Amino acid sequence: MKFKSTRILAVAGIALAAPLAMAATAQSADPYLWLENIHGKRALAAVDAWNAKTMKALTANPQYEKDREQALKIMNDPAQIATPAQVLGQSVTNLWQDTGHTHGLWREADLASFEAGKPEWQTLIDLDALSKQEGQKWVWHGADCLPPADNRCLVALSPGGSDADIVREWDRSTKSFVKDGFTIPLAKSNSTWENADTLLIGTDWGAGSMTTSGYPRVVKRWKRGTPLADAKTVMEGKTTDVSVTPLTIVDNDGTAYHFINRGITFYTGENWIEGADGNFVKTPIPETANLSGVQDGRLIVSLKKPLGDIPAGSIVGWNIADVLAGKADAPKVVFAPSNTQAVKSIATTDHAIWINLLDNVAGKLLKLTADGNGGWTQHVAQLPGNATIDLDTADKKSDTIFATVQSFLTPPTLYAVSANGSAKVLQSLPAQFDATGMKVEQHFATSKDGTKIPYFMVRKAGAPKPGAALIHAYGGFDLPQLPSYLTTEPYRAGPVAMWWVQQGQTYVLANIRGGGEYGPRWHDAALRQNRQKAYDDLYAVAQDLISRGLTTKGKIAVSGRSNGGLMAGVAVTERPDLFGAAIIGSPLLDMKRYSHLLAGASWMAEYGNPDVPADWAFMRKYSPYQNIRKDVKYPPVFLYSSTEDDRVHPGHARKFAAKLMADGDPVFFHEYRFGGHSVGGDHSEDAVRAALIHAYLDRVLIDGNKTAP
C-alpha cells in the first residue's frame, strides 16, 4: 500500500557514566550504548538537557523569533499548491495543511473543477478533529481505494509520524470509518485490495514474521468477516530479506493485477504476479530491476543493470499474458536514455507512458505512445526548461498528467499536461521573496578520480567575496538532489537557503555520486567499498568554490539529512580543516552498529555489512562515530533528530554528540519527541528548526563564535 572506557563525564549537567551492562564483546567498549535506549529515562534526561542548552543559546539571537515567525508564515501560507494525490473516478484527492489544520484535511474535489483551476473541496477526514477525538496525534500515511468505484479505502494513520501505522477501512461515500471493517493493528504494514472482501497483507503476524530489517516477510490473504489471525499465508520470504510486499496496479481496461515483491536486498528482489487460480507466478523481471507500472497489457520495468544488449537505465516491457502463460520472451525496449540522461520517475495512463527525465540534472517530461509497429513515439511536454519536475498523479482515462514544476527562484506551479503534450497552469504560487539580483549557475567540479561533479550555486550578483557557503548534498540510494524553491531548500530546513542568499552568502546543491542524477551508473559508483568517492566529490565542490574566490576554508557549512547526515558527519571528521560547520539531520553515524538498529539491516546493499570483516575494513575508514579523535579540534556541529524516528535510530545522533562533547568539542543538539524520520510533527516544529539552523549558521560562520552552547 505504501511505496513506500568507562569514564565519568559531565555533559550538559548529565553524568555519562558506565556503559550498559552487556556481554563482553567488542561492542561493550562503547561507553554510550545507553543512549540507544530510545525512551530510557537516563537517555531522555540527557536529550532534554542538551535541547535546553541549544535552545537557550540559539534563541538568544535577535533574529531568531523573526525567522521563526516568517518560516511558519511561509509554511502555513494558504496560497500553497493543492497537490493532487489520487484521481478516483471523477474526483481528485489532496492532503491540506495550514494554521487551522496542522495535521491536515484529507479532502476531495470534482475532477472537472480541479482541471478548471477552481476546485471545490469537500472534507473526507479532518485529521486534527480525529486526533482530538481519539486522543492520538495522527499523521497521514495515505489511502488505497478499491477500484473501480474507489469508495472503500484502506486509510493508513501513524501515531506521531513513525513509519509504523494503523490501517482502517473507510467509506468515501458515507465519509466514515466502516463499522467492523478491515483494521490492521499498529505495525510497519503493507496491504492491498484483492477484491471487495479480501486483502493481501504483509504485517507483524507475531514472533518470527518480520525480517531482520524490521519489515514484514509474510504476506497473507485475509477474508472479510474472519479473524485476522485466520488469514492464510500466500507467500513467505526469508528472515534475511528486506521485506515482502503486496501491491495492485490497474491497467487501462480495468484489469487489476496483483503483485508480491520479495525484496531480497534494498536493490534486488523478485516480482510475482497473481494468476487466475489465485496462485502467484514469478515474473521474468530481473532481480535488479524495478516494476514501474502496467500499461495496455505490459509490465513496464526500469532496468538498473544491463540486460543483454539493453543498457542500464532503460525502460522495457513484457507482455503479461505471455508471463502468466510461462512463455515470456526477451522484453521490448520502450526507452533508452543517453549518457547525460536518467529516468527519475514513470507514470502510466490508458494510452501513454510518461517519463520524468533528467538531462544534466534538468527536468524534461516525455510522453511515449505505441506506434503500432512495436516501437514508441516520443513527445516532449511543453513545460518550462531548466526546472525540477515532479509527477503528482494522473487522470488515466484522459491521459492527463499532473506535474509540479519549480526552480530555486521560481515558485512551484501545478500543470495539467494533456494527451497532446500541451500544458495548462492550474495553480502558481506567488513569489515569497524578491529574487532580483539573485543568480543561479551550474558548475562542474573535478573529483579526486577526475570525474566531473555537477553542482548548482545560488548567490546575489555583486555579493562580497569571499563569503560563507552552505553546501547541501545527499549522495546515496539512487536519489537525485534537484533544485526546489529557495523557501524549501535545503530539505527539512524551510527557508534557510533563502535567508542565506538574501544576506549575501552562497548556497550550493551538490550532485555528488551515490544519487540518481545520471542513472544507475552514478549511484553504483559510490556503493559499498566505493563510498569514499561520494565524499571526495563533496570536497571537490567545496574546493571549487574556494578556487572561484567565493569562500575560504573554515567558512563552509555542509548540510545533509539521513544518508546525507552520514555524509555531513564524514565531512566533519575527515575534513575539519575544510568545513567550519555541519548541519546533520536524522543521521547514520555509527556504521558499526547501524545494521543492528531499527531498519538499518535493509541498507547493507548500500553500505556493506559491518559484521563481515572485509566490509568493516572499508566502512571503518569513514564511519564518523569511530573516527572522532581526541587530538583533533572539530568545528561546531548542529545535530537534529526525532525520538520517534523508527527508521534511523536516534542513538546515532545522541552518541555522536556525547562523544564529541566528551572531548570538549562544541555541539548544538535538538531532538524532537515526535515526527518520525521526517522530524517535527507539524509546521510549528519545522519553523523552530529552520530558525535554529539559521541562528547556528550566523553564530558559527558569520559571527565566528565557535564556543559550545
Side-chain angles (χ1 to χ4, degrees), residues 251-269:
D251 204 352
N252 57 316
D253 64 355
T255 302
Y257 292 102
H258 307 295
F259 299 89
I260 293 178
N261 174 265
R262 178 189 162 219
I264 301 171
T265 71
F266 201 85
Y267 300 114
T268 62

Side-chain angles (χ1 to χ4, degrees), residues 1 106 125 127 130-131 133-134 136 138 140 142-144 152-158 165-171 176-178 181-186 191 193 199 222:
M1 169 175 176
W106 183 43
I125 299 179
L127 291 167
L130 184 67
S131 296
Q133 175 186 335
E134 299 186 347
Q136 183 60 264
W138 290 122
W140 183 253
D144 178 23
R152 291 297 180 98
C153 303
L154 300 175
V155 168
L157 301 171
S158 166
D165 53 35
I166 290 172
V167 179
R168 298 156 70 177
E169 186 176 2
W170 171 267
D171 191 319
S176 62
F177 288 106
V178 177
F182 287 119
T183 300
I184 305 173
L186 182 67
S191 57
W193 295 96
L199 301 184
W222 184 24

Side-chain angles (χ1 to χ4, degrees), residues 377-395:
T377 301
Q378 297 183 18
H379 300 276
V380 179
Q382 299 166 22
L383 292 173
N386 298 317
T388 296
I389 300 171
D390 289 302
L391 301 186
D392 298 316
T393 191
D395 176 10

Side-chain angles (χ1 to χ4, degrees), residues 69 220 259 333 367 421 534 602-603 625 652:
E69 290 179 355
K220 297 187 179 185
F259 299 89
V333 176
K367 178 194 171 191
S602 64
W603 310 319
Y625 185 61
H652 285 279

Side-chain angles (χ1 to χ4, degrees), residues 4-307:
K4 341 189 184 143
S5 92
T6 303
R7 188 192 329 158
I8 303 299
L9 176 67
V11 178
I14 304 297
L16 307 187
L20 290 175
M22 60 184 293
T25 66
Q27 293 174 355
S28 66
D30 183 352
Y32 304 116
L33 277 176
W34 58 273
L35 285 165
E36 291 180 7
N37 187 350
I38 295 175
H39 297 106
K41 290 180 64 176
R42 185 181 175 206
L44 289 179
V47 165
D48 288 344
W50 299 342
N51 280 353
K53 286 204 167 190
T54 293
M55 289 296 293
K56 182 179 180 180
L58 297 181
T59 59
N61 185 315
Q63 186 68 21
Y64 170 82
E65 186 57 27
K66 181 179 178 181
D67 282 349
R68 188 196 65 80
E69 290 179 355
Q70 185 182 15
L72 186 59
K73 181 179 179 181
I74 289 172
M75 294 171 186
N76 285 332
D77 190 338
Q80 58 186 291
I81 293 286
T83 305
Q86 296 169 292
V87 173
L88 305 176
Q90 293 303 306
S91 298
V92 62
T93 66
N94 160 261
L95 181 70
W96 181 264
Q97 292 175 289
D98 57 24
T99 52
H101 309 93
T102 57
H103 292 263
L105 297 173
W106 183 43
R107 59 188 192 169
E108 66 177 357
D110 177 74
L111 181 59
S113 72
F114 184 82
E115 291 185 341
K118 298 179 180 179
E120 300 169 358
W121 295 105
Q122 294 184 359
T123 298
L124 294 173
I125 299 179
D126 183 332
L127 291 167
D128 294 87
L130 184 67
S131 296
K132 183 177 181 180
Q133 175 186 335
E134 299 186 347
Q136 183 60 264
K137 192 172 184 177
W138 290 122
V139 174
W140 183 253
H141 269 192
D144 178 23
C145 300
L146 174 67
D150 297 313
N151 281 332
R152 291 297 180 98
C153 303
L154 300 175
V155 168
L157 301 171
S158 166
S162 65
D163 282 359
D165 53 35
I166 290 172
V167 179
R168 298 156 70 177
E169 186 176 2
W170 171 267
D171 191 319
R172 196 163 60 94
S173 61
T174 63
K175 297 181 175 58
S176 62
F177 288 106
V178 177
K179 185 179 180 181
D180 299 324
F182 287 119
T183 300
I184 305 173
L186 182 67
K188 291 184 178 180
S189 303
N190 290 288
S191 57
T192 190
W193 295 96
E194 190 172 39
N195 56 54
D197 294 312
T198 312
L199 301 184
L200 294 171
I201 305 173
T203 191
D204 187 346
W205 302 102
S209 68
M210 304 294 274
T211 68
T212 52
S213 298
Y215 296 101
R217 71 173 187 87
V218 179
V219 171
K220 297 187 179 185
R221 182 179 282 121
W222 184 24
K223 297 286 187 179
R224 187 183 296 278
T226 65
L228 180 58
D230 290 347
K232 305 301 181 183
T233 298
V234 175
M235 184 170 293
E236 190 169 340
K238 297 180 179 180
T239 303
T240 53
D241 289 345
V242 172
S243 65
V244 182
T245 304
L247 67 145
T248 297
I249 305 177
V250 180
D251 204 352
N252 57 316
D253 64 355
T255 302
Y257 292 102
H258 307 295
F259 299 89
I260 293 178
N261 174 265
R262 178 189 162 219
I264 301 171
T265 71
F266 201 85
Y267 300 114
T268 62
E270 299 171 345
N271 286 281
W272 299 69
I273 185 170
E274 187 177 24
D277 59 359
N279 293 317
F280 281 78
V281 176
K282 188 177 179 182
T283 71
I285 299 173
E287 290 186 357
T288 56
N290 292 335
L291 174 61
S292 298
V294 169
Q295 204 275 333
D296 200 21
R298 308 178 189 89
L299 298 176
I300 304 302
V301 175
S302 176
L303 299 180
K304 300 302 179 183
K305 300 289 184 183
L307 182 60

